[in-house]
Amino acid sequence: MQQGNTEDAKSDESFICGVVEGFYGRPWTLDQRKDLFVKLQEWGMNSYLYAPKDDYKHRAYWRELYSVEEAEHLTTLIATSKECNINFFYALSPGLDITYSSAKEMVILKRKLDQVAQFGCTAFALLFDDIEAEMTESDKEAFQSFAQAQVSVTNEIYEHLNQPKGFLFCPTQYCGSRAVPDVPNSEYLNTIGSKLAPGIDVMWTGPKVISRVISPASIDEIAEVLRRKPVIWDNLHANDYDQKRIFLGPYSGRSSALLTKLKGVLTNPNCEYGANFVAIHTVAQWSKCNVDTGLENQSNDAISAVSADIKLEQESRSGRSEDEDPSLPMHIYHPRLALKKSLLLWLPEFKRTKSMWGPISKPHVSNVPPVTFNSSGQSAIPCSSTSSLEEGGASPGSAPMPTAEHSSEEANELASDATLTPCLVDGTESAESASMVSLDRVAECLEPMETVESASSASSIQAKNLDVEDVDDDNNKESPLKEEMPGAQDHEEGDIVMESERKEEEEDYQLTVDDLCLLCDVFYLPFEHGPQGMQLLQEFNWLKLNAHLVASNPSKPTAAGSPEVKEWHHRAEKFDTMSRALNRLFTRLTYINNRELLYELYPYVWDMRGVVALLNSYVKWLSFNQGSKPFLSGEQEPWVFRGGLAADLQRLLPLESVNDLFLYKTPETPTRQVYTIRPYLASDERSVYELCRRLHLARVGATSCDMEKTLHSYPDLLGDIYFGAFVTLSPQLCFVVEDDHSVVGFVAAAANAKELQRQIRVAWIPDMQSKYPELFHCNSVEDANIPVPLKDLTVKLQRLHSEDLPDALLTYHPSQLKMWLSDTVIDHSVSKRLLTCAVAALRAHGSSGCHVYDVDVFSMDFYSRLGFVELKNVTHDQEIVYFGRIF
């Protein structure tokens, strides 16, 4: 250990440690920034870098002075930071279109920074990230190189401001992957190192834009070139490049040995301010640790660190150690232990009373500008002076989005360490997880904000590129038969989270540290999932790969009581327990007093809960199913795509081209209603038949009174027509969805529609003829013995055995499906999740397409929104409409 060196480093008050607000999207509020300053002071941090991309006068309109109102805002912010002893750095990004050799431009630049200095600011930063490495003709005449132009401007501003104690410079080549040709041989970086004034600190993001690991050796390398210790602009927790991800895991991948090699660390965290507690607090813990030189000397401290590692790797499902107090010496940093310390302090934040109104909206911008690369490897960003959203560039605080202009060679240069390493909770690697991460070389080299597409799933590329926020469900009719039930509006309002309904004082509704540990584990870090997140992946993958153990196979019968089958059911119960834990987290979150924090976390937890619940429904179907075929090949590797754990879990389903079913619009208002999708049971028949009756009565509207009276004599008729044949002849492909009270929807399917039709004629129709003789034996529907309200239903009943399905229909849509959902279902994602269960089950039975028979005007829009299209050329009968979709 080099404890003395670390103490010297920590006694140096010039060590910069804090937060940079440098992302694209909705900036933090004044109150949030004030709260941040208080926390930074409390946690022993000292710096804040102001660089929000939505302050256009920071970058696109850098020449313009701040208005009176803007000046008051910044003045208040700077004064508050001083009260908390936080060093406020104001950053300006003039590199998009500055003429370095222009005296007029220098006057404008000085005037802008002088204005900010008048607000009370004493620390500054000039950022030249993500700009073209080309100079104007006048600049080429004045300077020998691009680096010298930047150095000249920066040094002059530094002198103009009287050499402030805090002055930061962000180079154009701000990470190892952007150094041309590499860090030691970069002419640009060497010029910066030799010509930039010694009092100016240089920012660096590590080997990559988002670096999984920043090693001491890499810092030694850049420090030698820059001739000074770098300040790390750390993007580990930045999430503005992916709207489906938020990072709640601890600061990791940075050895505490870096502390003596750096001038400082500024973390650029999530767009959601309240979600950054762990990210910032664990950086604070890390900054207070002594240098750990490794285990080669086997000192007592090192041995104690190893012992603590062993304890921490033996964590239970809840993420808590079996040992009540797994501790490390104060000067040793361990990410999991740091996480637990942070969670104990974060929990009270959920109980703070903070209000929030309006619809839920994520703070990201939908069009984070892409970074393209020219042949020299420099970032090439088109200049703009109209809007920061049109700049075409991303700062070190905003990860670049991939573009079609990336070549395969460039992709290989981006992030050679961007792979997730799955391991079991005890730290060992499972056989199935090892097979799941046999990545190809291109995939291994991607940054977390980039994507690759599987060659075996080209048909789903377009769907993958859709953004979840692009889904418009505002006018989505969740039921093909609109059900205007008495009290339905009251039911909906009852599910909306009202501030007066909070039950935080009741123990069952209180959020716990274990809940927060689960929350962080499923939204961990860009390159890895937390232990419980990995457990979800591994358990579902194992259950899927071993589904044959519980499927009946006449050639290979498996004893129901065999150890293999028992293990499968045990692990299925384990997955169900994890799914219920997420439901509990979701429900408890809706009761917290901190509505601001709820609004920030709700979209992510809502989506994750729904995905895991969907997979749990599928597992339950597997346990009930008695005839599924082995899973199809061609599944995608789940570790290298955008979307985080939720997307990784979705990709484990045997689905290849139904990605549109995974795109949901987050509810605009938090709701706590949880819907459960599960396989149909025989005991559900009465509930499903009653739902059919209610939905049909809601559809017929004005004549419902007469219909309701008539149906008293035929209580099962509607259920028999719409659902009975499926549940009798194909029960293994039927699912129901229920709320806390009753069944509110169902989907019924048959893998082989032609065979279903044959069985209907052989077995189902004779039963119906015995049950409804007067409806089958009449000469025509005009028969006077048939009540008027039943005439249309009689036609549907008789049609069950009188028509053949056209061959043109069955060629690409061999399966048949029917789906109904009550309008009391207020979650717009339920219909898609319900259909996904049916499609996954059909895929497991070898089907690649399904159709809906005899679609009426009431359900056309419903099926269209679920990806079905009208099949116009499959039949000559103009009265029958078929809808279908391929998967």
Side-chain angles (χ1 to χ4, degrees):
M1 303 293 295
Q2 298 177 351
Q3 187 167 342
N5 291 345
T6 303
E7 289 174 353
D8 292 340
K10 300 312 291 180
S11 64
D12 182 1
E13 294 182 357
S14 66
F15 187 87
I16 299 169
C17 187
V19 172
V20 51
E21 182 182 348
F23 49 80
Y24 285 93
R26 185 173 64 238
W28 297 335
T29 66
L30 179 62
D31 287 341
Q32 288 174 333
R33 289 166 177 153
K34 289 180 177 180
D35 183 72
L36 172 65
F37 297 156
V38 172
K39 286 183 168 61
L40 293 179
Q41 182 185 35
E42 180 183 344
W43 299 339
M45 306 173 87
N46 59 21
S47 300
Y48 165 79
L49 176 60
Y50 177 88
K53 297 303 175 288
D54 269 29
D55 177 356
Y56 295 166
K57 293 180 181 180
H58 154 77
R59 186 173 172 97
Y61 296 158
W62 65 269
R63 296 176 180 84
E64 294 188 12
L65 296 177
Y66 286 106
S67 66
V68 174
E69 183 180 357
E70 293 165 339
E72 290 177 354
H73 180 93
L74 281 173
T75 301
T76 301
L77 200 59
I78 294 169
T80 304
S81 70
K82 288 182 177 180
E83 292 173 2
C84 297
N85 296 316
I86 300 301
N87 200 16
F88 185 102
F89 286 83
Y90 174 82
L92 198 65
S93 298
L96 284 174
D97 55 3
I98 187 174
T99 302
Y100 296 94
S101 58
S102 169
K104 182 179 178 181
E105 294 277 70
M106 288 303 298
V107 170
I108 294 174
L109 184 55
K110 291 174 182 177
R111 182 185 63 174
K112 178 66 170 281
L113 294 177
D114 283 343
Q115 183 195 32
V116 177
Q118 291 174 2
F119 302 158
C121 185
T122 58
F124 301 88
L126 285 182
L127 311 182
F128 293 98
D129 54 292
D130 298 333
I131 59 175
E132 289 192 24
E134 297 294 332
M135 296 187 292
T136 62
E137 290 301 320
S138 59
D139 285 341
K140 289 179 181 179
E141 293 176 1
F143 304 108
Q144 294 180 354
S145 68
F146 188 57
Q148 286 190 346
Q150 291 182 352
V151 165
S152 175
V153 169
T154 304
N155 285 344
E156 184 173 342
I157 293 297
Y158 179 62
E159 293 296 331
H160 173 76
L161 296 171
N162 297 318
Q163 299 184 6
K165 184 178 179 180
F167 197 97
L168 300 173
F169 170 84
C170 181
T172 304
Q173 297 180 16
Y174 55 79
C175 63
S177 63
R178 300 199 173 186
V180 180
D182 53 35
V183 172
N185 298 301
S186 168
E187 180 181 347
Y188 173 89
L189 291 174
N190 276 281
T191 300
I192 298 298
S194 61
K195 303 295 184 182
L196 197 66
I200 300 175
D201 295 313
V202 180
M203 308 194 78
W204 188 251
T205 66
K208 310 291 178 185
V209 177
I210 301 175
S211 299
R212 181 179 189 178
V213 174
I214 300 178
S215 67
S218 70
I219 296 302
D220 288 339
E221 182 181 58
I222 186 61
E224 182 177 357
V225 172
L226 296 178
R227 304 184 185 186
R228 69 201 76 200
K229 297 178 180 179
V231 175
I232 295 297
W233 173 314
D234 208 321
N235 291 316
L236 184 65
H237 288 89
N239 76 328
D240 58 357
Y241 54 85
D242 190 345
Q243 294 195 33
K244 298 207 71 174
R245 304 187 73 180
I246 193 168
F247 302 115
L248 308 179
Y251 194 62
S252 64
R254 286 88 173 112
S255 167
S256 53
L258 293 175
L259 286 168
T260 57
K261 300 176 181 293
L262 298 173
K263 184 59 185 295
V265 173
L266 294 172
T267 181
N268 179 44
N270 298 283
C271 300
E272 295 83 357
Y273 169 73
N276 290 317
F277 192 100
V278 169
I280 300 172
H281 187 261
T282 53
V283 171
Q285 293 184 63
W286 173 85
S287 70
K288 295 176 178 61
C289 292
N290 287 341
V291 176
D292 181 1
T293 59
L295 305 181
E296 57 269 15
N297 297 326
Q298 291 298 308
S299 65
N300 291 334
D301 290 334
I303 293 173
S304 65
V306 173
S307 300
D309 278 344
I310 294 173
K311 291 180 184 178
L312 289 166
E313 287 173 355
Q314 293 174 340
E315 291 174 335
S316 64
R317 282 197 308 269
S318 67
R320 308 295 298 275
S321 173
E322 299 297 338
D323 191 316
E324 285 297 321
D325 184 26
S327 59
L328 286 172
M330 291 299 295
H331 57 276
I332 301 293
Y333 179 81
H334 192 290
R336 291 297 293 180
L337 182 58
L339 172 63
K340 292 174 184 178
K341 290 179 180 178
S342 296
L343 294 183
L344 289 172
L345 296 177
W346 194 22
L347 185 60
E349 291 288 318
F350 289 81
K351 299 182 180 181
R352 293 176 61 184
T353 300
K354 289 188 177 182
S355 297
M356 181 63 69
W357 298 273
I360 295 176
S361 63
K362 293 185 180 180
H364 312 66
V365 292
S366 60
N367 55 339
V368 176
V371 172
T372 60
F373 295 87
N374 56 32
S375 58
S376 65
Q378 297 283 356
S379 58
I381 310 302
C383 297
S384 169
S385 60
T386 57
S387 168
S388 67
L389 300 184
E390 299 170 356
E391 293 162 20
S395 75
S398 300
M401 304 282 280
T403 71
E405 299 172 48
H406 284 259
S407 67
S408 59
E409 292 82 2
E410 289 159 350
N412 287 331
E413 292 176 359
L414 288 176
S416 59
D417 58 353
T419 57
L420 292 170
T421 305
C423 61
L424 297 177
V425 176
D426 62 2
T428 62
E429 187 175 352
S430 65
E432 65 268 22
S433 66
S435 67
M436 289 196 293
V437 290
S438 55
L439 305 175
D440 57 55
R441 294 306 303 165
V442 174
E444 289 178 353
C445 296
L446 288 178
E447 295 263 22
M449 63 282 190
E450 296 181 288
T451 61
V452 296
E453 306 297 343
S454 171
S456 64
S457 58
S459 61
S460 64
I461 289 178
Q462 183 177 359
K464 286 198 189 81
N465 289 335
L466 293 174
D467 194 284
V468 66
E469 295 301 323
D470 294 335
V471 180
D472 183 8
D473 284 337
D474 289 341
N475 300 316
N476 188 7
K477 294 182 180 179
E478 283 303 314
S479 174
L481 305 176
K482 185 173 182 180
E483 177 191 13
E484 297 178 356
M485 297 173 57
Q489 184 64 30
D490 294 336
H491 178 89
E492 178 172 336
E493 291 179 353
D495 288 326
I496 295 176
V497 177
M498 309 297 289
E499 295 203 12
S500 61
E501 295 179 352
R502 297 178 202 153
K503 301 182 180 180
E504 257 200 3
E505 299 307 315
E506 299 180 28
E507 184 174 351
D508 289 344
Y509 297 93
Q510 286 188 2
L511 210 61
T512 67
V513 172
D514 285 344
D515 292 326
L516 295 187
C517 191
L518 174 60
L519 175 66
C520 293
D521 275 357
V522 296
F523 299 105
Y524 207 61
L525 291 172
F527 302 97
E528 59 180 315
H529 305 310
Q532 294 177 90
M534 282 304 308
Q535 201 168 38
L536 282 167
L537 277 169
Q538 292 165 355
E539 291 300 329
F540 182 79
N541 193 57
W542 187 92
L543 290 165
K544 183 190 73 169
L545 293 176
N546 292 279
H548 61 278
L549 295 173
V550 292
S552 61
N553 188 340
S555 62
K556 284 188 174 182
T558 304
S562 68
E564 294 85 358
V565 173
K566 287 183 177 179
E567 180 184 9
W568 195 96
H569 286 291
H570 171 74
R571 295 180 78 158
E573 291 176 4
K574 185 178 179 181
F575 192 84
D576 180 65
T577 299
M578 290 187 284
S579 178
R580 284 187 280 111
L582 267 174
N583 287 342
R584 184 167 58 249
L585 165 64
F586 172 78
T587 301
R588 288 176 174 176
L589 190 65
T590 63
Y591 285 109
I592 65 174
N593 284 327
N594 193 334
R595 313 313 282 174
E596 180 182 292
L597 189 52
L598 169 65
Y599 269 57
E600 290 183 338
L601 295 176
Y602 184 87
Y604 300 99
V605 180
W606 173 84
D607 185 50
M608 182 66 71
R609 187 216 68 81
V611 170
V612 174
L614 170 63
L615 269 63
N616 193 39
S617 302
Y618 188 66
V619 169
K620 291 181 181 297
W621 175 79
L622 289 175
S623 66
F624 279 91
N625 180 39
Q626 295 297 314
S628 66
K629 297 181 180 180
F631 283 87
L632 304 179
S633 60
E635 301 158 39
Q636 303 161 353
E637 296 289 357
W639 312 103
V640 294
F641 295 84
R642 180 178 297 172
L645 178 63
D648 289 346
L649 289 166
Q650 289 168 355
R651 278 184 285 270
L652 289 178
L653 282 170
L655 304 174
E656 295 178 353
S657 56
V658 294
N659 289 13
D660 59 299
L661 296 182
F662 294 132
L663 299 177
Y664 320 115
K665 184 176 181 180
T666 307
E668 292 188 350
T669 305
T671 64
R672 63 174 60 99
Q673 178 64 62
V674 173
Y675 296 95
T676 302
I677 300 172
R678 59 171 175 79
Y680 170 85
L681 302 174
S683 58
D684 294 321
E685 181 178 298
R686 196 74 263 140
S687 297
V688 170
Y689 273 39
E690 175 60 20
L691 178 63
C692 287
R693 187 187 68 83
R694 294 203 314 266
L695 292 176
H696 185 81
L697 290 176
R699 180 184 67 175
V700 297
T703 61
S704 60
C705 293
D706 292 338
M707 174 67 74
E708 189 168 6
K709 291 178 182 178
T710 303
L711 288 178
H712 278 301
S713 302
Y714 301 92
D716 295 341
L717 180 60
L718 288 166
D720 285 336
I721 291 174
Y722 294 113
F723 189 72
F726 287 98
V727 70
T728 302
L729 304 174
S730 183
Q732 72 275 15
L733 294 176
C734 299
F735 294 86
V736 298
V737 55
E738 55 188 0
D739 58 15
D740 295 333
H741 311 289
S742 62
V743 171
V744 293
F746 68 84
V747 62
N752 188 328
K754 192 170 186 177
E755 176 62 19
L756 173 69
Q757 190 179 47
R758 187 191 69 81
Q759 292 182 16
I760 286 175
R761 289 173 175 172
V762 172
W764 181 247
I765 291 301
D767 285 347
M768 293 300 98
Q769 288 173 337
S770 299
K771 193 171 183 178
Y772 308 108
E774 66 279 17
L775 300 182
F776 274 95
H777 298 152
C778 60
N779 295 327
S780 71
V781 294
E782 302 300 328
D783 195 310
N785 293 326
I786 300 178
V788 174
L790 293 188
K791 293 186 182 296
D792 288 341
L793 294 179
T794 300
V795 172
K796 290 182 179 293
L797 185 64
Q798 293 178 353
R799 188 180 290 169
L800 290 176
H801 74 289
S802 62
E803 294 179 355
D804 292 322
L805 296 174
D807 291 336
L809 170 70
L810 300 176
T811 302
Y812 296 105
H813 307 87
S815 301
Q816 192 172 107
L817 178 143
K818 186 174 289 292
M819 181 174 170
W820 282 18
L821 198 65
S822 170
D823 268 1
T824 60
V825 176
I826 60 176
D827 187 337
H828 288 179
S829 70
V830 172
S831 58
K832 290 185 176 182
R833 300 189 199 278
L834 184 59
L835 179 59
T836 302
C837 284
V839 170
L842 289 172
R843 285 287 288 151
H845 278 262
S847 177
S848 59
C850 67
H851 68 267
V852 182
Y853 169 77
D854 197 15
V855 179
D856 55 35
V857 294
F858 297 95
S859 53
M860 285 184 178
D861 183 60
F862 175 75
Y863 285 115
S864 295
R865 290 181 177 274
L866 292 175
F868 286 82
V869 295
E870 184 177 355
L871 306 176
K872 297 182 178 180
N873 300 318
V874 297
T875 179
H876 297 294
D877 191 336
Q878 300 299 318
E879 295 183 1
I880 300 178
V881 178
Y882 296 97
F883 270 54
R885 71 168 293 164
I886 296 175
F887 43 79

